[in-house]
Amino acid sequence: MPAELPRTLLDALAHALPSGALLTTPADCLPYGYDNSKRDHPPQAVALPTAHPEVEALVQLCRRYRVPVTARGRGSNTTGASVPIDGGLVLSFERMNRILAINATDRYAVVEPGVLNGDLQTALAPHGFFWAPDPTSAPYSSIGGNLACNAGGLRTVKYGACRDNLLALRAVDGRGRGFRAGAAVTKNATGFDLARLLVGSEGTLALITEATLRLTPRAAARRGLRALYADVESAAAAVARLMAQAVLPAALEFMDGAALALVRARGAAVPDGAGAMLLFDAEGAADGIDAHVAALAEAARGPGLLEVAAARDQAELDSLWAARRALSPALRSVAPDKINEDVVVPVSRLPELVAAVAELGAAHRITTVCFGHAGNGNLHVNLMFDRSDPAQAVAAERCLDAVFDQVLALGGLLSGEHGIGIAKREHMARALDPVTLDLMRRIKAEFDPDGILNPGKLLPAADTAAPPSGR
Ligand SMILES: Cc1cc2nc3c(=O)[nH]c(=O)nc-3n(C[C@H](O)[C@H](O)[C@H](O)COP(=O)(O)OP(=O)(O)OC[C@H]3O[C@@H](n4cnc5c(N)ncnc54)[C@H](O)[C@@H]3O)c2cc1C
């Protein structure tokens, strides 16, 4: 892209927006050029629309001038998905942040994409409902960004991720055409499911301007449990047992010994000697909760168990989960250069993945820290290294490659919730077969014939061959 957008385009963009809603100075555009992947590239302009028709007009104008359009929620994604790598226009949804309706009878909410996940949950609480996707970033990530990444969180194991909790969307395609997909109904056999197709498409197919979300009633009772194991293999085997019985936990989180050491050093009350920990919740009716706790505790029992206990009250429950919440900040402070992947495998293969990551870390001399949403087989594999040491940086990349090989060999996929963005784009040809990739590219071309929506993300260039494994 040239350094500046044509003056005629800038004038037309400004005309399509409310006063003061087009930013063009480098200083104003700077904060819209980076995301939580630590990558950055400045856009040439930033639009802050307030309504759907403005988004249609902006995309039509950018299409006329073949200028890239990158949607932005709050930039909390970890894959570079919202970095405007080719410049152009960033379309930030921060001013489209109204909750338009909460309908308790039909169990749905209608929101604009810039509503923060946490703000929606707060608004739903008095109605006795919640929206199931609950990324740890809920206080500062947007519903539009959540949907575009198919975000999940602790509760996904029982209640599903974004794709499972969406009823309908309003959006704008790459030609600047507005359309609606789905409706506020919980059954729908009326043609292709375009609403869910957009979930996880990372702003490459269309821009979401309104979402109708499926709501879930809050459970009357919740009890948390903690199980400590001698080693990661025993804990991983317990995850498979917990998921193979009838009482589904409302969260099921895993932390390996290295993760436990980190939170212990930060003051979390985790006994010495434990090599791995599971945290899980029982949820249900007040008169059935004891039976749920008993069933989950029973499933947690097995070889390598050191102790399993349920929280007696809210304070104990909060302190159980405090250790999990302390982990991400602790990791960041000890290794700012870590690679954090969110691979996913069938739950029954989790023990093999956990063992393989430990072996690969040792073979490549890279410290690994693993934790994550074990009930979904979704493991956050952290490779800790110092980027200023070239040998360590190379070893970390090789180790990551080998981890991906292992994940794919176990029947898993590259990402369970963070998405692909730039970070894993070149690995897509390893994970998906050529026909699948070809179909995805054709769908992209139909939605966005000029390739202006978030170019360079998610789908690898057409001539990309699968990189050799063990690179
Ligand atoms: C500390 C921390 C914890 C996290 N924990 C979790 C977790 O538990 N689970 C999880 O899944 N993720 C987690 N994340 C990742 C991140 O928060 C999620 O991916 C989140 O959904 C991104 O939302 P956002 O509003 O920041 O979107 P952005 O990062 O701004 O954008 C993400 C993608 O969505 C696209 N997009 C944004 N808005 C729209 C729109 N209206 N229409 C079309 N495309 C759009 C962008 O172009 C981009 O491709 C975490 C991140 C951090 C920093």
Side-chain angles (χ1 to χ4, degrees):
M1 286 297 297
E4 286 180 11
L5 298 180
R7 174 48 49 195
T8 47
L9 172 61
L10 289 171
D11 288 346
L13 291 172
H15 187 68
L17 287 162
S19 168
L22 185 71
L23 313 179
T24 53
T25 69
D28 283 343
C29 291
L30 187 73
Y32 295 89
Y34 64 86
D35 63 22
N36 191 49
S37 70
K38 296 186 183 161
R39 293 170 174 84
D40 73 282
H41 188 284
Q44 284 134 324
V46 177
L48 308 170
T50 51
H52 173 94
E54 295 167 19
V55 179
E56 286 188 12
L58 295 171
V59 176
Q60 286 164 15
L61 285 166
C62 286
R63 185 182 184 216
R64 198 174 304 152
Y65 288 81
R66 300 291 188 270
V67 164
V69 178
T70 304
R72 184 177 180 91
R74 292 304 171 108
S76 71
N77 81 86
T78 60
T79 65
S82 57
V83 175
I85 50 175
D86 291 342
L89 182 74
V90 161
L91 207 154
S92 172
F93 285 97
E94 67 202 63
R95 294 188 184 173
M96 288 181 68
N97 61 353
R98 291 176 304 158
I99 297 173
L100 302 173
I102 294 176
N103 185 322
T105 312
D106 290 326
R107 295 190 177 188
Y108 69 81
V110 184
V111 300
E112 291 183 329
V115 172
L116 297 184
N117 181 309
D119 289 348
L120 175 64
Q121 308 293 2
T122 303
L124 293 174
H127 299 268
F129 285 95
F130 65 99
W131 188 49
D134 62 339
T136 317
S137 57
Y140 46 86
S141 67
S142 70
I143 303 292
N146 291 171
L147 291 167
C149 292
N150 193 23
L154 300 182
R155 290 188 294 230
T156 302
V157 60
K158 181 164 182 177
Y159 299 106
C162 285
R163 199 170 275 134
D164 311 299
N165 290 282
L166 175 73
L167 300 176
L169 285 180
R170 189 177 191 197
V172 175
D173 74 3
R175 294 176 166 94
R177 300 179 304 185
F179 64 98
R180 289 183 182 274
V185 295
T186 52
K187 292 183 79 178
N188 178 353
T190 317
F192 296 158
D193 193 342
L194 294 188
R196 288 191 176 81
L197 175 62
L198 295 195
V199 178
S201 66
E202 301 182 7
T204 63
L205 298 182
L207 307 183
I208 298 163
T209 57
E210 184 186 295
T212 304
L213 309 172
R214 176 201 290 267
L215 303 182
T216 304
R218 293 162 85 92
R222 175 180 170 216
R223 297 269 297 280
L225 294 94
R226 179 179 83 174
L228 296 166
Y229 295 87
D231 49 61
V232 288
E233 291 77 14
S234 304
V239 171
R241 285 198 303 278
L242 279 155
M243 292 306 295
Q245 49 87 52
V247 177
L248 200 53
L252 175 45
E253 297 290 303
F254 165 87
M255 289 166 72
D256 72 3
L260 291 183
L262 275 174
V263 294
R264 205 182 282 118
R266 293 204 145 210
V270 180
D272 288 334
M277 178 166 88
L278 298 181
L279 291 172
F280 41 107
D281 274 351
E283 271 187 4
D287 59 2
I289 195 73
D290 287 341
H292 282 202
V293 169
L296 292 176
E298 184 53 33
R301 290 192 180 92
L305 177 76
L306 302 178
E307 94 182 31
V308 57
R312 280 163 302 189
D313 52 30
Q314 187 62 41
E316 265 195 24
L317 183 69
D318 291 346
S319 105
L320 279 187
W321 285 100
R324 172 66 177 83
R325 279 193 295 274
L327 190 51
S328 282
L331 273 167
R332 262 164 212 279
S333 63
V334 296
D337 292 334
K338 71 188 165 76
I339 295 175
N340 172 9
E341 285 307 333
D342 79 315
V343 293
V344 58
V345 295
V347 172
S348 63
R349 312 301 298 269
L350 197 62
E352 291 161 83
L353 177 61
V354 165
V357 170
E359 276 171 29
L360 291 171
H364 292 273
R365 296 175 193 272
I366 292 289
T367 302
T368 61
V369 180
C370 290
F371 66 95
H373 314 303
N376 292 106
N378 183 195
L379 199 65
H380 293 308
V381 175
N382 291 269
L383 307 180
M384 319 292 277
F385 70 104
D386 176 1
R387 203 175 286 280
S388 65
D389 176 344
Q392 269 197 46
V394 169
E397 287 300 331
R398 289 196 173 136
C399 186
L400 176 65
D401 242 14
V403 169
F404 282 156
D405 277 343
Q406 193 64 42
V407 165
L408 297 172
L410 292 171
L413 289 170
L414 302 177
S415 172
E417 58 180 20
H418 288 170
I420 301 301
I422 313 169
K424 279 163 281 190
R425 180 178 179 235
E426 298 309 326
H427 295 281
M428 285 286 270
R430 285 158 76 167
L432 305 178
D433 70 55
V435 177
T436 306
L437 259 184
D438 180 56
L439 287 168
M440 286 190 182
R441 288 194 182 103
R442 286 171 193 272
I443 290 169
K444 160 79 176 165
E446 204 49 56
F447 272 85
D448 177 25
D450 302 295
I452 61 167
L453 296 184
N454 211 1
K457 312 293 170 59
L458 205 158
L459 294 175
D463 54 1
T464 309
S469 60
R471 189 155 48 94

